[in-house]
Amino acid sequence: MSFHFSKSKFVSSCIRCNKYAWLDKYMPEEKSPIDDFAKSLFDNGHKVGELAKEYFNADVDVTSYKEDGRLDLAKMIKETEKHMKLGTKVIAEASFSFGGFFCSVDILLRNDDGTYNMYEVKSSKQDTKKDKKLGCVKGKYIIDAAYQQYVLKNCGVDVNKVCVVLLAEDYVRNGNFELDKYFVVCDVTKHTNDRQQMIADKLAELGTVLSNTSEPTTSFSKNCNKCDYWQFCSRNISSPSPFDVYYLDFTEKCDFNNRGISFFAVPSNASKLKPAALRQIEYYNRPNDAYVDKAAITEFLDGLTYPIYSLDFETYQAVIPEYDGIATYEQVPFQFSLHVVEHPETELTDVKEAHFLDLSGADTRRAIAESLVNNIPYGACVMAYHGSTERN
């Protein structure tokens, strides 16, 4: 297979559908562009990956790039082979390919008996309330690690243990940053062993799909929700459709669409719809009419007292807590803007403003708190676009 199939493509095919893999090979230009949020997740993953190399005392990182900036997979595989022959203890991004199915292991650790432990590092926090049957590790992470184990074993690597490394859910920095408390290592060997036949069957299935140049035919399902290829696959759905109905579960939207139920027929086919969805459908063909809940607006306005302090924060997520008292992924504010309307007749030009901004990289929490206290009187009416976020 000249087309290199990565672990991310495999996992996406498992949680989405086989068509995802086909589109990745034949029509990658149809994939939705990466947004800023996705980019931030990649950045977080890179930061955590660097810490993991420090945590495991990696001897070498075999990551290599071509002149055009793309990964040089062939060179990475060759470097991995070289270091395994040399007996290198810990290899970061150890790379392998079996039948065109490729993977890079975040951390590959050689044991004294010549076997290897592989560690898949994730930048998400462990959730001990979920996935208890899988050792508090998400199912998609188990599939990810099982795919890598399958590739390694078929390349002749004697895999002794498979682990997923997550971020501890309760870590709060107190003094020096402690890597041994920041990371939690989950042994998932039993779960990945149990999935080896499933991996083999799925890869065989994907091999058949990828060898066919004709676009696969699929039906919509819950797996399509937020898929990178949604815009392409849904291109022939006319609007309005069940997918446009407010607050309707995505699985129900797919079911209605697959059954040929129209946007306007949803109310008579749904077991329960929120009032907003019913109004949306009712008013869709009344463009010159509008629904106005005067009672709710009056109740809201009657609850306001002047002066009104309109507040907005900007924060960053601390994937790596930099200061005492900050938890992993805690939202840390570094900026606020405050606009004060003294009374109902206040002109726009008379609105008072207060601002705080600190881009120094220092711990801003006390300074921003003091500024808020100095600018907003106790008991004042504070208004925000997303109240729960500002309260937090």
Side-chain angles (χ1 to χ4, degrees), residues 222-238:
K222 64 179 182 180
N223 297 334
C224 299
N225 194 19
K226 299 181 181 178
C227 177
D228 297 327
Y229 288 105
W230 170 252
Q231 291 299 324
F232 175 78
C233 291
S234 63
R235 65 194 183 280
N236 294 322
I237 299 176
S238 58

Side-chain angles (χ1 to χ4, degrees), residues 77 99 137 169:
I77 292 171
V137 176
E169 62 183 337

Side-chain angles (χ1 to χ4, degrees), residues 89-125:
K89 179 72 174 177
V90 183
I91 306 172
E93 301 302 326
S95 300
F96 305 87
S97 183
F98 169 69
F101 295 106
F102 174 87
C103 73
S104 285
V105 179
D106 290 329
I107 299 293
L108 186 66
L109 185 150
R110 181 185 177 92
N111 298 308
D112 293 339
D113 61 0
T115 62
Y116 287 87
N117 295 348
M118 51 167 284
Y119 299 86
E120 171 62 18
V121 182
K122 299 298 182 184
S123 59
S124 60
K125 294 170 71 172

